Amino acid sequence: MSKAELPTPLSATSETQRQVQLYAISNELNSLVGHSPIKVLRCLFTALITSTNVKSGHLFVFDKEGKPEFCLLLKAGQLNEYEGPQASHYYKPGLTEWVYRQRRGVLVTNTAIDPRWSAWATSFEEPAGSALAVPILAASQLIGAIALTAVPPDHFSETDLSIITTLADQTGVIIENARLNTLTAQKLNLIQALHQTAHTINASLDLEQTLYTILDHLNQTIAYQGAAILLQADEGLQPATVKGFEQTSTSLPTILTPTNASAFFRALHQGRVIGVGAEAKPIELDPLTLVKPIRSYATAPLTARGENLGLIILASHKSRAYSDQDLVTLNAFADHIAIAVANHRLEQKTDRRLQELAFLVKAGQAISSTLNLDRILHLLLEQVRDLLGIDASSIALRDEQTGELVFEVASGEGAVGVLGIRLKPGQGIAGWVAETGKPLLVQDVYKDSRFFPDIDKKTGMTTQAILCVPIVLKGRVVGIIEALNPTQISFDEQAVELLNALAGLAATAINNARLFARVHSAEDRYEKLFKDSVNPIIITDLKGHIVDVNRNACLLLGQDQESLRGANLTHFRSADGRLDFASYHNQILSNQEAVFQTAILSNGQRTTVEITGKKISLKGTSLIQWIGRDISAEIELEQTREDLIHMIVHDLRNPLSNIMNSLDVLYDVIDEQDDSVSRTELLSIAQRSGKRLQNLINSILDISWLETGQAMLKTRATDPVPLLRDAVEFVSPQAEMGEINLSARFAETLPQVEIDSDMILRVVLNLLDNAIKFTQVGGTVKLTAKVMDSVIEVAIADNGPGIPAGQTKTIFDKFTRVRRENGPKGTGLGLTFCRLAVKAHGGHIWVESKLGQGATFRFTLPICAEKKENGSP
């Protein structure tokens, strides 16, 4: 186990800021191209922790069998690393396992209401209100999964899921590229080493003489009485060089088989260096014999470029003749021999390969000369016929919807009849190749049960031999190429290789043609959306000159397209005379998105527009896109809300009237010495109404300060228990008058919280007041408080009419009220004040409700830091 370096956590940020931070991770990942996969994954995870501001989560890396081999575990803000068995020890089924099996991300916005969470929560040890998990894929293989959790619900959004999925995909690509680069480097190093070794030992072009010389050098290092080099042939092993044995390569059988040389084939199948001769008894190595009995022998496979070329055998009349070091040396010489044999065979193939490569280059140039798919397919068939000398050829592509093969183009005999024929998945030789992804050569089709004779009946031709290869694109078979009836020599493995190579070129060309078609289609769709958009859109070059405008932009600016094209938007002045576009131009040039408001005067009418500007790439050209949104109605609405504030004054009259009435009655009672009326009750009414009036005024004032972030909080470490008791005591008379059952339940002692006591008291009073107002006679209002991890959660629950589902999130907005007939009236500011006040203290407030089943308002307050450090609950 090791502790990973965890960046300093950021303070809580808005969703937009978090998304900007997430997008920034992409650049950081790109800087790690070429680094180890673990380093890239560590960077991704720690960056996600910082950007999403979470305290719990994990990242697991799985081996090919799906077992965890590495993990990063974040718990209570502490990040640790584990490898091997330790990683498996910390792995638990649940959300991570689901993501691993489903290979797609998942978002749980609220674990309390998501029924899936009970099955997934086993992945985590800490409480979570929301969770997010995504897989990490490299070349379509799942290598890991990331899961993050947060205490509050709705901490993550669908946008977070989309961005983090994209980052995980980018990480997979980086890791796969690193693996490919490492593999390529290893292969290049191996080729270079083989080339140098071959150059040293291939002074002679005579392979037999070269091998005989190598055995002489070997005898100077390892003593032997007999040595033989056997090379793989189609039917068995072929003696190439024999030294010291009574037999020579010319007196041995031409081909050794498992029947006449079983010991050699056993050694060949083991595929590794072995030494035999621990006992003193003779060993049979038929058909090779020595003058003295063979009591020890050693073998090593001849392997070059991944191909097993044969076997080298050393024999001795001594027991235990070959040590471990001798076997290492023998293996080194075996590598030299394998390279010499491979180079000799390669030399024989060179001329033929050069001709083939020249043909493939020509074919590649031909099919790369166009992006038209139909033209590419016809060019391919021309190349196939020239390459193989055949009677007919055809290409069939897979239908994405049905999986059927559809013959798109054909040439030669029966070409017209084959066009448009559809083969069901797996039908015929072509269908078999498409389903298995393997090439197939059939010299006599009527002896093969997979052949589909109906095509011959439709075309009128007679098929004798077929060579069919798959067209594979990104691991998927997208079609097949068929070659039928060679005119001169029969198909061979060389023909299979050539047609396979041509299919590889075809896959790339087909992919490029399809991509071009999609891009062209996307550009057409963009052009249509651009013109028909309800929002005004202006496209400028990087200097601000207008390149294009849509109809609504022309209407907004009061000019036609021809008049606007070429004009410099940065010189445009708003209705207020400002150069708003110029002010944000440089910001956009630095690849930042700009959002601002401007007023435009068109046809004597003032329109307020919100402008979003950003750089885009269109047909390979960098441009700036300015999208407008008419917010005049929103501005009007805001003004209406401002006007509504003045109406709040009317809400001051009720408590003020209660005060004045109480004082008037009290004055009369004192003046008339009337003892029948309680002076204390009158003063109590006046006092409560005054307090209510004071709370309303303070809330209105505090909302303004809290919204602008200028509220002056007088915070100190506070015991919440007395505060909660005071709140309950204050509203008790109101509850009694309404015949409401008011109860409070919390521990005698709770951890201290750093708060402005007056402000939080008003939050609790507001929530209790609302609960009592909306609870019918005989109903119940409950206040509870408990410790949840590092916060205290206060809840006020009632069994009133509840809140409609669509209003649980907007109810905290200014001037928003649940509208009911004959229901209590209000300003719509109480819950807004509660939200802002709780947020200012670093807490979170929300409501849980079902219509007709009451509502529960909950809010949290962070526990004092020193209490947490001392281990207080």
Side-chain angles (χ1 to χ4, degrees):
M1 182 192 79
S2 64
K3 290 185 178 180
E5 183 178 354
L6 186 62
T8 303
L10 299 175
S11 59
T13 58
S14 69
E15 183 178 346
T16 301
Q17 290 172 321
R18 180 166 73 239
Q19 290 164 9
V20 170
Q21 292 169 351
L22 288 172
Y23 277 120
I25 296 173
S26 178
N27 292 329
E28 187 175 354
L29 290 174
N30 288 334
S31 69
L32 294 177
V33 171
H35 288 265
S36 69
I38 296 301
K39 184 172 183 178
V40 175
L41 290 169
R42 188 185 295 117
C43 171
L44 171 66
F45 190 61
T46 55
L48 289 179
I49 292 170
T50 304
S51 299
T52 57
N53 196 28
V54 297
K55 304 294 183 183
S56 173
H58 52 246
L59 179 151
F60 279 91
V61 178
F62 303 97
D63 59 21
K64 292 182 179 180
E65 297 177 359
K67 297 179 180 178
E69 60 182 4
F70 174 82
C71 80
L72 290 168
L73 191 64
L74 178 68
K75 183 178 178 183
Q78 181 65 46
L79 182 62
N80 291 300
E81 291 184 8
Y82 303 96
E83 294 182 8
Q86 279 189 313
S88 297
H89 173 75
Y90 285 98
Y91 180 71
K92 296 180 180 179
L95 184 60
T96 308
E97 182 182 40
W98 186 90
V99 170
Y100 177 84
R101 296 187 182 281
Q102 298 296 322
R103 298 193 174 204
R104 61 187 177 91
V106 66
L107 172 65
V108 180
T109 58
N110 191 335
T111 60
I113 61 175
D114 194 319
R116 302 171 296 180
W117 185 249
S118 60
W120 291 349
T122 52
S123 298
F124 308 96
E125 297 180 1
E126 299 184 63
S130 55
L132 177 149
V134 297
I136 304 173
L137 298 165
S140 301
Q141 298 295 318
L142 193 142
I143 62 172
I146 299 173
L148 302 173
T149 66
V151 173
D154 299 317
H155 183 81
F156 304 107
S157 66
E158 290 290 346
T159 304
D160 292 335
L161 176 63
S162 175
I163 296 172
I164 293 175
T165 299
T166 301
L167 292 173
D169 291 342
Q170 180 184 356
T171 302
V173 171
I174 291 172
I175 291 174
E176 181 60 16
N177 287 341
R179 290 178 177 173
L180 291 176
N181 290 337
T182 301
L183 182 60
T184 302
Q186 291 173 346
K187 288 185 176 180
L188 289 174
N189 291 335
L190 177 60
I191 291 172
Q192 184 179 5
L194 292 174
H195 174 74
Q196 293 172 346
T197 304
H199 180 74
T200 301
I201 66 176
N202 286 337
S204 171
L205 296 178
D206 187 335
L207 178 62
E208 185 176 359
Q209 181 59 43
T210 299
L211 297 180
Y212 197 85
T213 303
I214 292 174
L215 290 181
D216 280 343
H217 292 313
L218 180 59
N219 199 23
Q220 295 174 12
T221 307
I222 305 175
Y224 63 80
Q225 279 70 54
I229 296 174
L230 308 177
L231 301 181
Q232 286 264 33
D234 291 340
E235 294 83 8
L237 289 171
Q238 183 177 19
T241 301
V242 178
K243 186 177 181 181
F245 289 106
E246 292 182 352
Q247 299 87 344
T248 64
S249 56
T250 55
S251 63
L252 285 170
T254 305
I255 296 294
L256 302 181
T257 66
T259 302
N260 59 23
S262 59
F264 302 142
F265 281 90
R266 286 196 300 271
L268 185 67
H269 291 154
Q270 289 188 18
R272 58 185 177 86
V273 181
I274 59 172
V276 178
E279 300 180 4
K281 62 181 182 180
I283 298 172
E284 297 296 332
L285 278 181
D286 293 334
L288 297 176
T289 59
L290 290 172
V291 176
K292 293 183 179 181
I294 298 173
R295 301 188 184 278
S296 299
Y297 75 90
T299 67
L302 306 178
T303 306
R305 300 180 181 93
E307 182 182 2
N308 194 343
L309 303 177
L311 200 67
I312 179 173
I313 304 103
L314 301 183
S316 173
H317 54 72
K318 297 179 181 179
S319 298
R320 305 178 184 273
Y322 304 111
S323 65
D324 291 342
Q325 184 58 48
D326 290 335
L327 297 181
V328 172
T329 303
L330 177 62
N331 192 49
F333 272 88
D335 289 341
H336 291 182
I337 294 169
I339 292 171
V341 172
N343 285 349
H344 176 75
R345 292 180 176 180
L346 183 61
E347 184 181 1
Q348 294 179 329
K349 295 179 180 179
T350 298
D351 290 340
R352 184 179 65 185
R353 289 297 185 191
L354 285 175
Q355 294 175 359
E356 294 170 357
L357 288 173
F359 180 85
L360 290 175
V361 168
K362 180 182 176 183
Q365 291 172 342
I367 62 179
S368 298
S369 63
T370 178
L371 287 171
N372 181 282
L373 182 58
D374 187 64
R375 177 62 179 157
I376 286 173
L377 297 180
H378 281 90
L379 286 172
L380 280 171
L381 288 193
E382 292 177 11
Q383 301 303 321
V384 170
R385 295 191 68 187
D386 291 344
L387 177 67
L388 301 177
I390 52 178
D391 285 342
S393 60
S394 57
I395 295 177
L397 299 182
R398 190 192 291 270
D399 186 316
E400 296 288 343
Q401 301 297 324
T402 64
E404 296 176 325
L405 283 176
V406 183
F407 285 89
E408 303 285 353
V409 291
S411 67
E413 187 180 352
V416 176
V418 79
L419 292 178
I421 290 179
R422 303 177 76 94
L423 294 178
K424 296 178 181 178
Q427 189 176 42
I429 289 174
W432 184 90
V433 169
E435 288 298 302
T436 62
K438 300 177 181 178
L440 183 63
L441 169 58
V442 181
Q443 301 289 10
D444 188 347
V445 297
Y446 283 92
K447 291 182 179 179
D448 194 303
S449 60
R450 292 167 292 194
F451 179 62
F452 185 59
D454 289 11
I455 295 182
D456 274 8
K457 295 176 183 178
K458 291 181 180 180
T459 60
M461 72 172 291
T462 301
T463 303
Q464 298 169 348
I466 286 182
L467 171 56
C468 184
V469 299
I471 302 174
V472 181
L473 180 62
K474 297 179 180 179
R476 278 187 68 254
V477 177
V478 297
I480 57 95
I481 302 178
E482 274 188 343
L484 284 69
N485 301 347
T487 55
Q488 296 179 355
I489 60 174
S490 61
F491 292 129
D492 57 11
E493 289 302 317
Q494 179 187 356
V496 176
E497 291 179 12
L498 284 172
L499 198 56
N500 254 333
L502 193 61
L505 294 174
T508 302
I510 290 171
N511 184 51
N512 290 340
R514 287 178 171 176
L515 286 176
F516 175 77
R518 289 173 186 168
V519 170
H520 188 70
S521 174
E523 289 177 350
D524 287 344
R525 287 197 301 273
Y526 174 82
E527 187 71 20
K528 187 174 186 303
L529 290 172
F530 170 77
K531 290 179 178 178
D532 298 337
S533 174
V534 296
N535 292 321
I537 304 176
I538 303 172
I539 306 296
T540 70
D541 60 21
L542 298 184
K543 292 182 179 180
H545 295 102
I546 296 176
V547 176
D548 203 357
V549 291
N550 69 352
R551 284 189 290 270
N552 281 314
C554 292
L555 292 173
L556 178 67
L557 298 175
Q559 299 183 52
D560 58 29
Q561 287 184 334
E562 293 304 317
S563 300
L564 290 171
R565 282 198 180 102
N568 196 314
L569 190 63
T570 61
H571 297 165
F572 179 84
R573 291 187 179 274
S574 70
D576 301 320
R578 297 192 305 268
L579 294 170
D580 290 337
F581 289 92
S583 300
Y584 292 92
H585 184 247
N586 289 333
Q587 179 180 333
I588 296 170
L589 290 179
S590 61
N591 294 318
Q592 299 181 53
E593 185 176 272
V595 180
F596 59 94
Q597 292 181 12
T598 187
I600 296 175
L601 196 61
S602 177
N603 298 322
Q605 188 173 12
R606 181 188 177 97
T607 303
T608 303
V609 184
E610 182 182 79
I611 303 292
T612 301
K614 65 178 180 180
K615 283 177 68 174
I616 63 170
S617 179
L618 191 60
K619 297 181 180 179
T621 303
S622 292
L623 301 168
I624 299 177
Q625 176 181 266
W626 309 82
I627 299 178
R629 185 172 68 88
D630 187 349
I631 60 172
S632 300
E634 295 176 21
I635 298 295
E636 249 182 74
L637 178 60
E638 187 61 31
Q639 184 60 48
T640 301
R641 288 185 174 182
E642 291 295 331
D643 294 340
L644 188 60
I645 291 177
H646 297 291
M647 297 174 60
I648 295 172
V649 176
H650 294 286
D651 286 334
L652 305 179
R653 290 181 177 177
N654 288 335
L656 186 58
S657 296
N658 288 340
I659 295 171
M660 295 305 298
N661 290 338
S662 297
L663 291 175
D664 287 342
V665 173
L666 181 61
Y667 181 85
D668 292 338
V669 167
I670 295 173
D671 185 58
E672 297 173 5
Q673 296 296 312
D674 185 357
D675 295 329
S676 64
V677 178
S678 171
R679 295 172 174 79
T680 303
E681 180 65 25
L682 292 172
L683 288 172
S684 177
I685 293 172
Q687 186 183 42
R688 286 199 303 274
S689 297
K691 186 68 175 177
R692 198 174 302 280
L693 183 62
Q694 185 184 37
N695 284 343
L696 178 58
I697 294 172
N698 287 341
S699 295
I700 294 170
L701 294 174
D702 284 341
I703 285 173
S704 178
W705 289 106
L706 288 167
E707 282 183 325
T708 58
Q710 299 177 10
M712 300 295 291
L713 300 182
K714 299 176 182 179
T715 62
R716 61 184 178 84
T718 303
D719 182 355
V721 172
L723 183 147
L724 296 175
R725 286 174 177 165
D726 288 346
V728 172
E729 183 178 350
F730 184 82
V731 299
S732 291
Q734 181 184 348
E736 290 173 4
M737 290 177 62
E739 297 181 21
I740 305 298
N741 297 315
L742 176 63
S743 66
R745 187 178 64 198
F746 42 83
E748 287 296 321
T749 59
L750 289 171
Q752 290 189 334
V753 287
E754 189 79 16
I755 60 171
D756 182 329
S757 300
D758 177 68
M759 188 172 287
I760 295 303
L761 177 61
R762 282 190 279 130
V763 170
V764 179
L765 287 174
N766 266 327
L767 296 177
L768 286 171
D769 183 67
N770 279 353
I772 292 171
K773 282 197 300 185
F774 286 95
T775 301
Q776 296 177 350
V777 173
T780 300
V781 173
K782 296 180 181 179
L783 183 146
T784 60
K786 59 183 177 180
V787 178
M788 297 285 289
D789 194 12
S790 60
V791 299
I792 289 177
E793 182 189 277
V794 179
I796 292 91
D798 63 66
N799 58 358
I803 302 169
Q807 299 183 38
T808 55
K809 292 183 178 179
T810 61
I811 197 171
F812 293 97
D813 294 340
K814 269 198 305 187
F815 310 114
T816 302
R817 301 187 300 274
V818 178
R819 301 186 182 278
R820 296 189 179 92
E821 286 187 29
N822 302 321
K825 306 299 181 182
T827 61
L829 294 173
L831 291 179
T832 302
F833 164 76
C834 292
R835 173 176 61 83
L836 294 172
V838 170
K839 182 179 179 182
H841 284 78
H844 179 59
I845 187 169
W846 70 99
V847 62
E848 299 166 356
S849 178
K850 289 185 179 180
L851 200 61
Q853 298 182 24
T856 301
F857 284 81
R858 301 179 188 273
F859 70 92
T860 62
L861 295 171
I863 297 171
C864 287
E866 59 270 17
K867 293 294 181 182
K868 289 185 284 187
E869 292 172 358
N870 294 333
S872 296

